[in-house]
Amino acid sequence: MATKITPFLWFNNQAEEAAKFYTSVFKNSKINTVTRYGAEGPGPKDSVMTVDFTLDGQELTAINGGSHYTLTPAISFVVHCRTQQEIDEYWDKLLAGGEAMQCGWLTDRFGLSWQITPTILLEMIQDKNAARKSRVMQAMMQMVKLDIQKLKDAYERA
C-alpha cells in the first residue's frame, strides 16, 4: 500500500540512474516500478518517465521531466545515524561525485541535498542547558561532515 505522501523528485533525464544509485546506498531498498513515455510524450517514446522506489521503507518517485526545474538545497533528506561509522558510510557514498556543504549537508551528483545527522545531535540541541546547546551549535557550525566525538566533547565541556 502506498504511503499517503510521497516525495516526488524532478530530474532532467536521470531518474532511473538516480533511483538505482539511491537504492544501492540504503538497505531495505528497491525499485518498485518504471513507467515509460508513450507516443504522446512529452518525453521520447519508450524512455523512462517515472521510477517508483523505496529507500529503507520511504516511498519516493523520480520523474524525467526535462530541464525546466532543478533540485535545490531548499528541500533535503535527513539521514539519522546512530554511529560515526554510519555517518562515514552514508557521507562517502552519497558524496561521491557531489559537493560537501557545512553542518553535515551534502549535495549528491544528481543535485539532491542530504543531511547526514547523528541522532545524538538532536538530543544535545534540545538540552535545556543553554550553554551546552550553544557549545554544540558552535562546534557543529565549524564542521563539514559531522563528528560525533567532537560534538560530545563540546556538549560535555564545563
Side-chain angles (χ1 to χ4, degrees), residues 4-155:
K4 190 168 192 81
I5 298 172
T6 302
F8 203 88
L9 306 172
W10 186 290
F11 296 92
N12 182 12
N13 59 4
Q14 305 155 304
E16 188 172 31
E17 181 185 351
K20 286 179 179 178
F21 172 67
Y22 299 139
T23 56
S24 76
V25 171
F26 295 92
K27 295 175 184 168
N28 305 313
S29 300
K30 65 180 181 172
I31 292 178
N32 302 315
T33 58
V34 176
T35 305
R36 299 189 177 277
Y37 284 108
E40 64 283 352
K45 184 177 189 254
D46 295 325
S47 67
V48 173
M49 180 172 62
T50 61
V51 180
D52 295 313
F53 60 106
T54 304
L55 295 183
D56 202 13
Q58 173 65 55
E59 294 180 15
L60 299 104
T61 300
I63 185 170
N64 283 329
S67 60
H68 308 297
Y69 304 108
T70 57
L71 298 167
T72 75
I75 298 290
S76 63
F77 291 124
V78 178
V79 180
H80 299 279
C81 300
R82 295 196 190 293
T83 67
Q84 189 65 47
Q85 180 181 351
E86 239 186 321
I87 290 170
D88 296 344
E89 180 181 336
Y90 286 119
W91 183 267
D92 293 343
K93 288 179 179 178
L94 291 168
L95 183 60
E99 182 179 345
M101 299 188 299
Q102 186 177 3
C103 304
W105 287 56
L106 64 87
T107 301
D108 68 30
R109 67 181 187 234
F110 300 103
L112 186 58
S113 294
W114 298 85
Q115 297 178 55
I116 312 303
T117 306
T119 52
I120 195 167
L121 172 63
L122 303 175
E123 296 168 22
M124 289 188 280
I125 63 174
Q126 292 175 11
D127 194 301
K128 297 204 185 307
N129 182 312
R132 281 183 170 169
K133 182 177 176 177
S134 177
R135 288 192 307 266
V136 170
M137 291 298 292
Q138 287 173 10
M140 181 188 70
M141 295 299 290
Q142 302 303 312
M143 297 179 195
V144 177
K145 178 174 71 172
L146 298 183
D147 183 310
I148 292 175
Q149 189 57 55
K150 288 180 180 177
L151 293 169
K152 284 181 177 179
D153 290 348
Y155 181 79

